[in-house]
Amino acid sequence: MAILSKDEAQNILKKVLSFSTADECEATLNGSIGGNVRSARNSISTAGAVDNVSLAVQSRFGKRSGLATCNEFDDATLRRCVQRAEEIARLAPESPEYMPLLGPQQYLDGSRSFAAATAAIDPAYRAKQIGASMALCDEKKLSSAGFLDDSVGFIAKRNSKGLEAYQQTSYVGFSVTVRTPDGSGSGYAAADYTDATKLDAARLTRVAAEKAASSVKARAIEPGKYTVILEPNALLSNVDTSLLGVLMQSLDARSADEGRSFLSKKGGGNKKGEKLFDERVTIYSDPLNPEIGDLTFANDGRPQQKTTWIEKGVVKNLYSSRFWAQKAGIPDLPPPGGWIMQGGTQSTADLIKSTAKGILVTRLWYIRPVDPQTLLYTGLTRDGTFYIENGQIKFPIKNFRFNESPVIMLNNLEAIGKPVRLNGSLVPPLKIRDFTFTSLSDAV
């Protein structure tokens, strides 16, 4: 039952609303179906499947609200779910940030977020993709750990004010870590797509295998400030804890206005409209971008539109809740899903060729905040770190701990490569000068 059509989903939601006695009611259906397969030491270790639909009902009496969920859709269960949400709402305290539910909205065409090829994935597809990855590592006498997962899903909304939304989504992703038999060399690669025909697990594994084989007998060099080439996986390997990820999450108007952000001004206000980055830095979101195909509406039902967040180094927009937008008298912009950082046409290999001396970083991990006021973060390199000289990779080097802020990093920009999709965004490799490494790490 996981993937309901628009009519099927809205018919359930209409029934839910018909059971409501609240001042306001909003119902949301989420469904997904998919699978995954995991490998370790060139053997399948786990495989699984997901098939689920859930309903969330939010009921409101005045400024009080309650939420209840269920995953069965007969009339009796739907009625109980609505009643439970109303019971909770009557007991809840009033919200000081209450905003009425949205009325009817106009949404962009969200068809780009779904690909039929991904919906057609079956166990044979997963076995073929990860099998090719393991076979390549067997051939090269390397050990791999891979993870492939895919899903197709939908989200549908309806409320008592007349809002109605529906969109289907699809996703397939693969990541692999490859190690040498003695564990002294490591490589990593990852990619994700809306359309499964674009995934090539063997190609990604080949990249990781080459890094692993090339990273043995790593040499120690002194910590300090270096020119670095950061591959996309070093910039957005994890949305929540990555240098570009935390930058985008910081474009929040409320935290800036309340003095909790690098965008806060001393004495009050924020730095919207100021040039804070290199003029080559432009970042925007676009739910209709064919490479990332994002949702055309936010969790609260606000429409997603193409929005420029940073343009030629200038902070152009900040996102906010509806409450804060009204209180502060600012544009009512929801946070973006995926986003696009504009780049050039150069590959990572091209950036290496243009580097007299520097360091190639495959991946950063264990990233933690040091100072939220400056967005200073610390973390470690891993899975292949190499010294560059005269446009060539000369030798592998031991991993470093770094202390760096994406704000400083994007002011020390030397070159931007061609963006590639990663974690639902488009991210280019970056060449950065004076990137700060503070100490060595013996980890691989």
Side-chain angles (χ1 to χ4, degrees):
M1 182 183 180
I3 306 304
L4 300 179
S5 69
K6 180 178 179 179
D7 288 343
E8 290 171 332
Q10 291 296 338
N11 284 338
I12 292 174
L13 297 180
K14 288 176 185 177
K15 186 176 293 186
V16 169
L17 295 181
S18 74
F19 296 144
S20 173
T21 63
D23 297 338
E24 297 178 298
C25 183
E26 183 167 271
T28 304
L29 274 169
N30 279 283
S32 66
I33 185 169
N36 61 77
V37 59
R38 189 185 303 271
S39 69
R41 295 184 177 181
N42 301 356
S43 298
I44 298 294
S45 58
T46 64
V50 176
D51 187 344
N52 186 53
V53 181
S54 64
L55 170 72
V57 178
Q58 183 188 79
S59 295
R60 296 178 172 188
F61 293 97
K63 296 182 179 181
R64 306 174 189 272
S65 68
L67 182 71
T69 63
C70 65
N71 59 3
E72 295 181 0
F73 307 106
D74 58 276
D75 286 7
T77 302
L78 294 178
R79 192 184 297 275
R80 284 197 301 271
C81 188
V82 173
Q83 290 172 346
R84 183 58 176 156
E86 293 180 355
E87 290 169 0
I88 295 169
R90 293 182 187 280
L91 295 171
E94 289 190 346
S95 170
E97 299 184 5
Y98 163 82
M99 292 293 292
L101 292 176
L102 290 170
Q105 303 291 310
Q106 292 293 319
Y107 300 118
L108 298 172
D109 176 13
S111 59
R112 291 173 179 84
S113 64
F114 176 84
T118 309
I121 287 178
D122 58 12
Y125 171 93
R126 300 183 194 110
K128 181 179 179 180
Q129 289 280 0
I130 206 159
S133 170
M134 295 186 299
L136 188 146
C137 291
D138 281 335
E139 178 185 333
K140 294 181 178 293
K141 295 182 169 49
L142 298 168
S143 180
S144 68
F147 182 65
L148 185 150
D149 67 319
D150 61 89
S151 66
V152 292
F154 77 95
I155 179 170
K157 280 183 173 293
R158 194 175 190 90
N159 72 26
S160 54
K161 294 291 188 68
L163 180 143
E164 179 182 340
Y166 177 88
Q167 190 168 344
Q168 289 188 343
T169 61
S170 63
Y171 165 90
V172 60
F174 177 73
S175 62
V176 62
T177 301
V178 178
R179 293 283 179 97
T180 55
D182 62 0
S184 64
S186 183
Y188 178 85
D192 58 276
Y193 304 97
T194 300
D195 185 347
T197 62
K198 296 181 179 180
L199 179 65
D200 186 344
R203 179 186 63 81
L204 293 167
T205 305
R206 194 170 295 110
V207 171
E210 290 172 357
K211 286 181 179 287
S214 301
S215 62
V216 296
K217 297 181 180 179
R219 305 182 196 178
I221 65 173
E222 286 297 315
K225 291 184 179 292
Y226 288 89
T227 294
V228 298
I229 296 171
L230 299 173
E231 296 192 7
N233 274 302
L235 294 164
L236 198 67
S237 59
N238 185 296
V239 174
D240 297 325
T241 54
S242 60
L243 291 180
L244 288 186
V246 298
L247 172 66
M248 294 303 296
Q249 289 178 343
S250 298
L251 299 180
D252 171 62
R254 184 171 188 169
S255 62
D257 292 342
E258 292 181 340
R260 298 180 283 113
S261 162
F262 84 98
L263 290 167
S264 302
K265 276 186 175 180
K266 289 183 179 179
N270 62 58
K271 297 179 181 178
K272 178 182 173 181
E274 295 187 17
K275 186 175 182 297
L276 301 181
F277 310 99
D278 185 286
E279 63 182 11
R280 290 168 289 181
V281 176
T282 293
I283 300 176
Y284 66 96
S285 56
D286 181 3
L288 299 187
N289 183 285
E291 291 297 314
I292 60 177
D294 217 340
L295 285 174
T296 59
F297 51 90
N299 289 336
D300 60 6
R302 283 182 286 175
Q304 291 282 15
Q305 303 284 345
K306 184 175 181 178
T307 305
T308 300
W309 303 100
I310 300 170
E311 184 176 39
K312 296 182 178 179
V314 177
V315 178
K316 300 295 287 186
N317 283 295
L318 301 176
Y319 63 81
S320 70
S321 66
R322 291 175 59 216
F323 166 79
W324 194 257
Q326 183 182 78
K327 180 176 180 177
I330 60 176
D332 184 4
L333 297 175
W339 41 267
I340 300 102
M341 182 172 181
Q342 283 187 354
T345 59
Q346 292 179 297
S347 65
T348 299
D350 294 328
L351 297 181
I352 292 171
K353 289 177 184 177
S354 67
T355 303
K357 288 185 178 181
I359 293 172
L360 174 66
V361 178
T362 298
R363 191 180 177 202
L364 300 175
W365 76 299
Y366 207 68
I367 299 174
R368 297 294 184 268
V370 176
D371 180 7
Q373 293 289 347
T374 61
L375 272 193
L376 182 65
Y377 275 74
T378 189
L380 299 165
T381 66
R382 68 176 296 180
D383 295 322
T385 309
F386 303 91
Y387 187 73
I388 303 167
E389 191 172 83
N390 297 325
Q392 294 183 331
I393 292 177
K394 288 297 184 181
F395 51 83
I397 58 176
K398 287 195 172 183
N399 286 307
F400 285 114
R401 173 169 291 280
F402 71 88
N403 273 25
E404 195 56 85
S405 164
V407 182
I408 296 173
M409 181 181 79
L410 293 180
N411 274 288
N412 291 339
L413 188 61
E414 290 202 351
I416 307 179
K418 183 179 180 180
V420 298
R421 173 163 163 165
L422 193 64
N423 282 313
S425 294
L426 289 178
V427 186
L430 300 179
K431 185 177 177 181
I432 308 292
R433 64 179 176 275
D434 294 333
F435 193 89
T436 305
F437 294 115
T438 56
S439 60
L440 289 170
S441 169
D442 287 328
V444 175

